[in-house]
Structure formats: C-alpha cells, structure tokens
Amino acid sequence: MADFSGFTRRKFIFTAGASAAGSLLLNSCLGNPPSDTDSADAGDTASGTAAPSPVSAADSPETPNVKLGYIPIAESAGLIIAKEKGFFAKYGMTGAEVSKQASWAAARDNVTIGSQGGGIDGGQWQMPMPHLMTEGIITNGQKIPMYVLAQLVTQGNGIAVSGKNAGQGLGLDISSAADYIKNFQSTNGRKFKAAHTFPHVNQDFWIRYWFAAGGVNPDTDIDLLAVPSAETVQGMRNGTMDAFSTGDPWPYRIVADDIGFMGALTQQIWPFHPEEYLAIRADWVDANPKATKAVLKGLMEAQQWCDDPANRAELVQICAGRNYFNVPVDVLTPPYEGKYEMGDGKPAVDDFEAGPLYWKDPRGSVSYPYKSHDLWFLTESVRWGFPLGEMTDFDKIRAVIDKVNREDLWREAAQEAGFKDIPTETSRGVETFFDGTEFDPENPQAYLDSLKIKKAA
Ligand code: CA
C-alpha cells in the first residue's frame, strides 16, 4: 500500500504578497550554461573536508577516475557536493570529475563517445534517457547500454506560466482554464505555446500530465516543443511563449523577475515523485564494479549531507559558484529552503519538504532507484506514443528495466557503507497523483485505461 503519512503531515505555511527579491542580473543569470571547455576547471578545486578514507585494500576501486556530466540545476547538487566536499575522494575516487554539460543533447552525445573519446562515462539524466540510450532510440540506432544506479533528487521542478496568462485560472488544476487554453488561437492568432528542454523525458511528462489532468490535450490543443531555457524565458517575457516546464532555480526566477508565475510545482502534481538519476555506461560499470560502488557511496554520503538543513547555506554557496550554476546566491537560496513564490494570487509555499530532497523523504529513500518508477516513466511513454523501439509490450519494457536498473549495486554499496534507510522492495507501491489518478506498478495497463487524454490505443 502507498504510504501517504508523510504527505498528510506535511505542512504548508501560506504567506501573502509578491516577491521582494528585487531586480536580478538577468543577462548573466538567464544565459546558457558555459560550454564544456569553459568549465574544464569546474572540478579542480581541492577537495578534502571528509573524514580519512575508509577504503580497505579489498574495496580499493579499479580506477580512481570517472567523468560524470551534470546540468546546472538543483538535480545535480549531490554530484557537485560529492566532488567538492570530498565524498568521492573519501571512497577512493580521487580522480572523479564533474563536467558541466551544455544541454541534455550534449550530455547524450558525450556519453555516446565515452570519456576515452573526450566525453563522459555517465552522470545526470532525465528519465527514461538511460533506457532509451540502451535501446538506441535517442542515439541514432546505436545501442549504448547504460545502468541506472541511483536517483539524484525528488521534486524541485515546476510549471511556469507567462504573465500574459495571469488571472485565467492556470493553477494546479487547470480545468477552469481549459476553454481559455483551447480557444487561445481565436483570440491570439496562435495556439497556446509551451516548452520543455528535451522531448520524451521528465519535464515533458510533467507538463503533459498537468495539461491532460485539466482536460487539455497537449498534442492537439496546444503547441508543445523543446526549446532552450534562455529562449523560452525570453519568449515568456515578450509574449510569444506561454508556459515552461522547468527545474530549480528557474521557477524562482520566473516570479522574482516578473516574467510570470508558477502554475504548479511538481511536488504538488505528484508528491515525492522520482526526478533525475545517476546512470553510467554499462561497459564502465562492468569493468569497474568497485569503483562504481565507491561512486555510489560518495554520492549517498553527499545526498545525506545535502538533506541536513544546517548544510543548505553551504550547498547554495558551492552550487551558485561560477564553476557550477553561476547564479546569484539569492536566486538559489529560497528553493533550498522550500520557499516558492507562486504568483497570480496563489499562496506562497514555505515548507522544507516541498523543495528538493536528496536522500530521504516521507516515503522513504530518495536515492534508491525503484524499478516501479522506471516503469512509470516508460508507461507514460506508452501513453503519449513516444518511440520505444523494441519495447512493444509491458513484458519487454520490464525486461529492459531489469537490464538497465542496477538497484542491486545501490543496495550493496549502501550496505557496505553502513547506511540506513535501505528499501526492501524494488517497488514503492501504488502512486497517487493530485487528480486522484493511481498508478499501480503491478498493473500499468489499468493506469493507461483510466486516463482520458492519451495517444495510446
Ligand atoms: Ca528536472
């Protein structure tokens, strides 16, 4: 059974008023992330605040080197902290590098060539990118077997709406705004336009779920497309873009910079939902099983560090830095305190558990990669008719999950390191969304059947 004790005991403190954050240096903080070469020194800072290495000779990793890609958003904090606070080094990964990626497509291309070709061994992914790469679906038919090793974070994402659409009822439940959105063309000369940063993965799923739950078909009633973040925000400013599915710290900027308002946070759509993951090339993991577990132990310890409220100010100081997110500390602080200005007359959110969580949430482990969550992402891919190659039924989907998801390695690493909060099942059980829809991992077809708006037959 699903355990929502954590959800019901969560508290929201409602505060009134608009953000008083003042003006920010937009050009610098809304720009594209620097290219890989710009950030080649990103991880060169001396590390070593962690305790002396607990690594015995038997546990000694096959290599101290691994190159992990990341995107400069809240999801990557665990990887950055593992590097900067010396947790990778503590477990023997003294040569671990974290490498800023210019885009999701760049990350995919870099893992396709691997670190030996100048790319990366793995890193941060939206889902189900590792499964799609493994099957060659987003890599031009070339199969790049990947292993999902850990979840990086829960929550921390949201749906932003441009100020042009204020006062129309675009909140968590948009059913009262459905006609406004569907009739947008007749009054504006174009369809309601929404963006995400990469197709067929998390941020595409979140905004599709939100539209469809409110009675808007994201494939036919609106234009929904992949657009770089900076271009999307510029479009929201000048009235050519209406909504944006995005992650922290963007939701904060949208309101603070008076670009628009938050329609919903993803934690309101699906509390404690799976977000982004660590996955590494299967050939690297197979050749370096001890190093893989060392990476996992370093990440896990970093995730525990990240979730201590006492460490959040230092986390912000590190991640906001020029080598990492390159944003003002003021922009990154509120989401890490669980503070979100929603705008458009909606109450602000002020709840630590509403922000990004890295290690533990009221439903248990955040870091553990539940197979039931991989199945939701792939079921949602079926829902929208996304390309799934040879994954033509749920048996084949489950077979790919069993191949790609290495929760066994997560479990071994956690046990070896003596960490608590290790789940006993590979399923988190039934998931419930804000509109009452349930996803039972035992019966994904029943979930598909229950949905009114979908492409799946
Ligand atoms: Ca995300």
Side-chain angles (χ1 to χ4, degrees):
M1 285 296 295
D3 174 9
F4 285 96
S5 56
F7 182 46
T8 49
R9 76 174 164 76
R10 293 171 60 243
K11 61 188 188 306
F12 285 92
I13 299 166
F14 298 126
T15 57
S19 163
S23 60
L24 297 164
L25 297 170
L26 275 178
N27 285 341
S28 63
C29 82
L30 297 184
N32 282 318
S35 68
D36 290 345
T37 47
D38 290 341
S39 60
D41 63 341
D44 286 353
T45 319
S47 53
T49 55
S53 172
V55 180
S56 70
D59 288 342
S60 183
E62 298 84 355
T63 171
N65 303 318
V66 66
K67 196 166 177 187
L68 303 172
Y70 76 93
I71 300 284
I73 50 179
E75 286 85 337
S76 60
L79 296 172
I80 291 166
I81 292 300
K83 168 69 185 173
E84 284 290 322
K85 294 294 291 180
F87 296 123
F88 283 145
K90 174 179 173 180
Y91 291 99
M93 299 307 289
T94 50
E97 286 179 59
V98 291
S99 169
K100 193 180 320 196
Q101 304 295 296
S103 66
W104 293 106
R108 174 205 52 199
D109 295 345
N110 280 329
V111 83
T112 298
I113 56 177
S115 64
Q116 285 172 330
I120 55 179
D121 298 304
Q124 170 191 357
W125 307 100
Q126 297 196 71
M127 290 289 262
M129 290 179 82
H131 308 75
L132 300 179
M133 291 187 282
T134 295
E135 294 297 291
I137 294 163
I138 55 170
T139 42
N140 291 323
Q142 186 187 353
K143 293 190 175 185
I144 309 293
M146 299 288 293
Y147 289 152
V148 166
L149 297 166
Q151 186 176 313
L152 292 173
V153 71
T154 180
Q155 308 183 145
N157 284 241
I159 315 293
V161 182
S162 73
K164 171 189 169 82
N165 299 294
Q168 301 293 341
L170 283 139
L172 176 58
D173 175 359
I174 59 163
S175 49
S176 69
D179 286 342
Y180 167 78
I181 294 170
K182 291 179 190 178
N183 295 331
F184 201 85
Q185 178 129 34
S186 62
T187 48
N188 293 274
R190 62 169 175 82
K191 281 186 176 179
F192 191 94
K193 196 170 173 187
H196 48 70
T197 52
F198 195 82
H200 308 163
V201 297
N202 297 36
Q203 279 154 229
D204 192 0
F205 291 133
W206 305 145
I207 199 165
R208 282 170 174 271
Y209 194 96
W210 179 72
F211 275 122
V216 173
N217 188 322
D219 285 315
T220 56
D221 292 332
I222 61 165
D223 281 333
L224 176 60
L225 54 164
V227 180
S229 299
E231 199 178 312
T232 295
V233 172
Q234 186 55 31
M236 290 177 76
R237 283 185 164 284
N238 66 26
T240 58
M241 183 65 80
D242 298 300
F244 179 26
S245 181
T246 186
D248 288 329
W250 287 96
Y252 178 81
R253 298 181 188 175
I254 298 292
V255 178
D257 302 339
D258 207 21
I259 295 165
F261 58 94
M262 293 309 298
L265 303 177
T266 54
Q267 61 94 356
Q268 297 170 325
I269 296 173
W270 179 5
F272 312 116
H273 62 84
E275 186 49 35
E276 291 171 17
Y277 285 70
L278 170 70
I280 298 179
R281 288 176 64 107
D283 55 6
W284 192 92
V285 171
D286 289 340
N288 303 291
K290 290 176 184 172
T292 301
K293 285 192 275 183
V295 167
L296 277 170
K297 291 169 195 171
L299 171 65
M300 290 173 181
E301 196 159 333
Q303 289 177 308
Q304 292 167 56
W305 186 93
C306 287
D307 273 3
D308 183 344
N311 292 332
R312 286 281 166 107
E314 186 180 353
L315 181 161
V316 165
Q317 203 69 43
I318 291 169
C319 290
R322 193 177 155 274
N323 286 344
Y324 292 108
F325 299 1
N326 194 24
V327 297
V329 165
D330 289 355
V331 166
L332 212 50
T333 298
Y336 277 110
E337 296 175 339
K339 290 181 175 155
Y340 294 90
E341 292 291 340
M342 300 299 287
D344 196 29
K346 286 190 276 293
V349 171
D350 185 351
D351 174 4
F352 185 82
E353 287 181 359
L357 299 171
Y358 295 89
W359 175 250
K360 199 177 172 186
D361 67 20
R363 292 197 67 185
S365 177
V366 170
S367 177
Y368 175 77
Y370 286 101
K371 288 186 178 181
S372 61
H373 290 163
D374 295 25
L375 181 61
W376 182 82
F377 284 110
L378 288 163
T379 301
E380 205 68 359
S381 305
V382 174
R383 174 187 187 179
W384 298 117
F386 295 161
L388 286 174
E390 294 159 26
M391 292 184 278
T392 50
D393 60 43
F394 283 116
D395 286 344
K396 294 191 175 102
I397 284 172
R398 287 184 195 278
V400 169
I401 291 171
D402 286 340
K403 185 170 63 178
V404 172
N405 183 303
R406 295 302 305 273
E407 58 80 32
D408 56 316
L409 293 175
W410 188 99
R411 200 179 289 280
E412 281 175 31
Q415 282 163 349
E416 286 175 14
F419 296 141
K420 295 190 173 72
D421 309 310
I422 301 175
T424 54
E425 307 282 341
T426 60
S427 170
R428 197 172 69 168
V430 174
E431 305 287 346
T432 306
F433 295 78
F434 80 94
D435 60 341
T437 296
E438 290 192 343
F439 173 74
D440 180 355
E442 298 301 313
N443 193 352
Q445 187 61 49
Y447 167 83
L448 285 180
D449 293 345
S450 76
L451 299 164
K452 289 193 192 78
I453 295 180
K454 59 197 165 191
K455 255 192 188 167

